[in-house]
C-alpha cells in the first residue's frame, strides 16, 4: 500500500467523522494523507497499520487505524466496512476497521510477546509480564475516547486513536506507579510505540506511544455504570400522588433523603475518595511535589480564561455564563498564595475508575485528550482531580435527566430536585472520604475547587462539541445550575 492511495484516502475521509473517537466533528476535514502504512499480516485477511494526518482549521492531527482487508466480508464485519478497493496498489477487496476482526487481533499480542519490530512499529513486553498469545480480542463497549480490545480475562489493549508525539502519560504514569507498588492501578503488560523520527518529529529521541496493554480487571465494573444504576434507581422511586405535589416533600427534599433510595452510591463514593487520596500520595512519591508561586497560579488562571475565550468562539451557548465563570477564575487569582503541586490524574471522572472485589482502581492517566502533551504532564494541585470527579457526579445525574426528553414542567422539576439531591450526597461523601484519607480538604479550599470545576465544565463543552455533539446539552445545562443563583458560583459560604 502506498501513502498516495487516493481512493483509500477518499474512503477514509468519508468514514472518519462517524467514528466516536474522531475529535474533529466540529468542522470539515480540509485534507487527509496517509502518514505511515505498515503491513502487519499478509494474506487473507490482511492487516495494515495506518497513521493518518488529518488537516482541519489549519492544524494537523494524527489518528491511528488498523485496516483489515478481505476479498469476501463475513456478515458480522459488514457494519464496520469502510469501502471497497478494486486493485489500487494491490488491494482488491473490502477494507474495514480491523479491531472488530478477532482473527486480526492475535498478531498484536504475538508481536508484543516476542518484542518484535515491524517497520517503524516497535512492540514491547513489560519486564516480567507474561503475554498470552492464544486469545482473540473483542472491542470493549465502554464509553471511551479511544478503542480498547479485551483479550479473554487476561489483557486489555488500549489503542490510542488521536496520537500525541512522545511517550503517552498513561504508560509513563502506570509504569511509575506499578514500580512504586501502588495498589490502585492495573499492571502494565506491554505497549506498542512508533520509532522516533517517523512521526513528523517534535519529541527528540522519544518514541510515540501507540497502544498500552494492561492487566484486565475481570471482576470490575466501571464507576460510571455503577453511578448510573444508582441514579436510575433514585429517579425511579415511585411518586405519590400525581400532579404538582408528586415530588415527595419537594420543598424540603435534601441530599440525605437521596440515601434512603435503593442503589445508594454514597459509601462507594466515600471509598473512591479514599482511593483517590492514596493514588495522589503514590503519585507524589513517584514524581515529587513542588510549590507553585502566586505568579504561576495566576498563569493557570490566565490559561482558564484563554480556554474560555476559545470555547466561547466555537460554542456560542456558553457565552451567557462567561461572566460568572470569569468571576470564579479571577477569585482564585486574587487570593493566589503558594500552592503545592504534583503529577495528578488530569482527567478524573467516573469512567476512569473501576470497582473490583478488593476496592477502587484508577485508570487512564493520559490527561485530557484535547490538551497538548506538555499541559497534560504539568504538575497541578491535587484538588483538580477532585473537581473532575465532582463534575462527574453532576454529569451522571444530569445525563439521565436529559435522557427523559421533554417532560411536563412539574415532572421535570421533580426530576431536577432528585438529581441534585443525588449529586450533592455523593459529592459530599467523595470529599469526606478524600479528606479523611489525608488529601487536602475540599471544603477548606472552596475557591480553588470551584475554579477547577468551572474550568472542567468549559473543557467538557469543547470536548462534547468535538467528540459527541449529542451530549453537548449535558454540560451546558449543568453550567446554568453551576453559575446561577444557588449554584456553586453563589456558594461562597463554604470558605
Ligand atoms: N484494566 C482494565 N480492566 C478492565 N476494564 C478496563 C481496564 N482498563 C479500562 N477498562 C474499561 O475501559 C473503559 C475505558 O478505558 P479508558 O482507559 O478510560 O479509555 P479512554 O481513554 O479511551 O476513555 C473504562 O471505563 C473501563 O470500563
Ligand atoms: O475518558 P477520556 O480520557 O477519553 O475522557 C474524555 O472523554 C470522557 C467521556 O468518555 C469525558 O468525560 C465526560 O463524560 C463522562 C461521561 O461519559 C463524565 O463522567 C465526565 O465527568 C465528563 O467530563 C472527558 O471529559 C474527556 O476528557
Amino acid at each position: 500500500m502506498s501513502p498516495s492511495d487516493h481512493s483509500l484516502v477518499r474512503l477514509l475521509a468519508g468514514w472518519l467523522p462517524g467514528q466516536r473517537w474522531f475529535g474533529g466533528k466540529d468542522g470539515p476535514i480540509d485534507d487527509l494523507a496517509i502518514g505511515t502504512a505498515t503491513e502487519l499480516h499478509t494474506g487473507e485477511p490482511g492487516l495494515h497499520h495506518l497513521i493518518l494526518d488529518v488537516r482541519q482549521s489549519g492544524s494537523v492531527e494524527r489518528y491511528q487505524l488498523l485496516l483489515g482487508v478481505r476479498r469476501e466480508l463475513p456478515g458480522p464485519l459488514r457494519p464496520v466496512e469502510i469501502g471497497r478497493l478494486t486493485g489500487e496498489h494491490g488491494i482488491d477487496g473490502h477494507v474495514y476497521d480491523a479491531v472488530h476482526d478477532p482473527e486480526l487481533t492475535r498478531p498484536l499480542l504475538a508481536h508484543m510477546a516476542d518484542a518484535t519490530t515491524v517497520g517503524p512499529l516497535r512492540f514491547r513486553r513489560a519486564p516480567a509480564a507474561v503475554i498470552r498469545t492464544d486469545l482473540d480480542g473483542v472491542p470493549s463497549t465502554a464509553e471511551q475516547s479511544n478503542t480498547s480490545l479485551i483479550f479473554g480475562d487476561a489483557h486489555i489493549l488500549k489503542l490510542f486513536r488521536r496520537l500525541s508525539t512522545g511517550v503517552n502519560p498513561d504508560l509513563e504514569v502506570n509504569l511509575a506507579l506499578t514500580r512504586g507498588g501502588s495498589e490502585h492501578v492495573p499492571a502494565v503488560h506491554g505497549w506498542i510505540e512508533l520509532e522516533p523520527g517517523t512521526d513528523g518529529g517534535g519529541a527528540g529521541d522519544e518514541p510515540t506511544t501507540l497502544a498500552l496493554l494492561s492487566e484486565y480487571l475481570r471482576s470490575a465494573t466501571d464507576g460510571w455504570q455503577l453511578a448510573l444504576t444508582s441514579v436510575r434507581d433514585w429517579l425511579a422511586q415511585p411518586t405519590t400522588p400525581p400532579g404538582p405535589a408528586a415530588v415527595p416533600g419537594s420543598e424540603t427534599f435534601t441530599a440525605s433523603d437521596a440515601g434512603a433510595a435503593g442503589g445508594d452510591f454514597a459509601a462507594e463514593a466515600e471509598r473512591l475518595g479514599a482511593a483517590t487520596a492514596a493514588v495522589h500520595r503514590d503519585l507524589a512519591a513517584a514524581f515529587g511535589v513542588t510549590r507553585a508561586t502566586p505568579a504561576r497560579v495566576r498563569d493557570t488562571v490566565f490559561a482558564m480564561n484563554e480556554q474560555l475565550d476559545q470555547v466561547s468562539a466555537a460554542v456560542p451557548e456558553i457565552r451567557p455564563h462567561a461572566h460568572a465563570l470569569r468571576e470564579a477564575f479571577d477569585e482564585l487569582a486574587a487570593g493566589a498564595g503558594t500552592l503545592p503541586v504534583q503529577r495528578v490524574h488530569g482527567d478524573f471522572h467516573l469512567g476512569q475508575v473501576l470497582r473490583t472485589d478488593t476496592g477502587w482502581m484508577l485508570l487512564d492517566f493520559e490527561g485530557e485528550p484535547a490538551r497538548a502533551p506538555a499541559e497534560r504532564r504539568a504538575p497541578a494541585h491535587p484538588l483538580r482531580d477532585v473537581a473532575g470527579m465532582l463534575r462527574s457526579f453532576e454529569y451522571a445525574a444530569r445525563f439521565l435527566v436529559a435522557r427523559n426528553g421533554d417532560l411536563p414542567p412539574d415532572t421535570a422539576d421533580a426530576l431536577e430536585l432528585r438529581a441534585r439531591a443525588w449529586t450533592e450526597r455523593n459529592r459530599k461523601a467523595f470529599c469526606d472520604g478524600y479528606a479523611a484519607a489525608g488529601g487536602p480538604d475540599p471544603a477548606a479550599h472552596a475557591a480553588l475547587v470551584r475554579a477547577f470545576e468551572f474550568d472542567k465544565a468549559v473543557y467538557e463543552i469543547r470536548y462534547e462539541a468535538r467528540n459527541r455533539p449529542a451530549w453537548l446539552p449535558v454540560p451546558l445545562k449543568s453550567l446554568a445550575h453551576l453559575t446561577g443563583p444557588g449554584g456553586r458560583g453563589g456558594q461562597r459560604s463554604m470558605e
Side-chain angles (χ1 to χ4, degrees), residues 142 144-146 156 158 215-217 222 351-352 354 363-364:
Q144 66 174 133
S145 301
N146 298 291
I156 179 164
K158 175 156 78 170
E215 162 195 12
Y216 182 61
L217 301 168
D222 77 59
Q352 316 281 40
L354 287 179
L363 307 168
D364 192 3

Side-chain angles (χ1 to χ4, degrees), residues 93-111:
H94 303 268
V95 292
Y96 57 96
D97 188 357
V99 296
H100 298 274
D101 187 346
E103 246 186 285
L104 290 177
T105 57
R106 270 190 203 205
L108 302 172
L109 287 189
H111 280 304

Side-chain angles (χ1 to χ4, degrees), residues 20-21 140-148 150 154-161 170 174 185-187 212-225 345 347 349-354 356 361-367 369 463:
R20 159 68 177 92
W21 42 264
S140 160
T141 54
E143 178 55 39
Q144 66 174 133
S145 301
N146 298 291
T147 300
S148 294
I150 298 168
H155 313 290
I156 179 164
L157 179 71
K158 175 156 78 170
L159 196 68
F160 296 109
R161 288 299 198 162
D170 203 9
N174 270 303
V185 291
L212 173 62
L213 186 73
S214 309
E215 162 195 12
Y216 182 61
L217 301 168
R218 58 181 164 276
S219 70
T221 313
D222 77 59
W224 176 250
Q225 291 308 330
H345 183 282
D347 188 15
H349 59 80
L350 284 161
Q352 316 281 40
V353 292
L354 287 179
T356 69
M361 304 289 271
L362 274 60
L363 307 168
D364 192 3
F365 291 81
E366 203 189 343
Y463 178 86

Side-chain angles (χ1 to χ4, degrees), residues 444-466:
H445 297 85
L448 187 58
V449 174
R450 188 166 45 242
F452 281 142
E453 264 199 85
F454 283 17
D455 184 50
K456 183 76 187 180
V458 176
Y459 164 85
E460 285 164 350
I461 286 168
R462 173 159 62 187
Y463 178 86
E464 300 300 3
R466 287 182 175 173

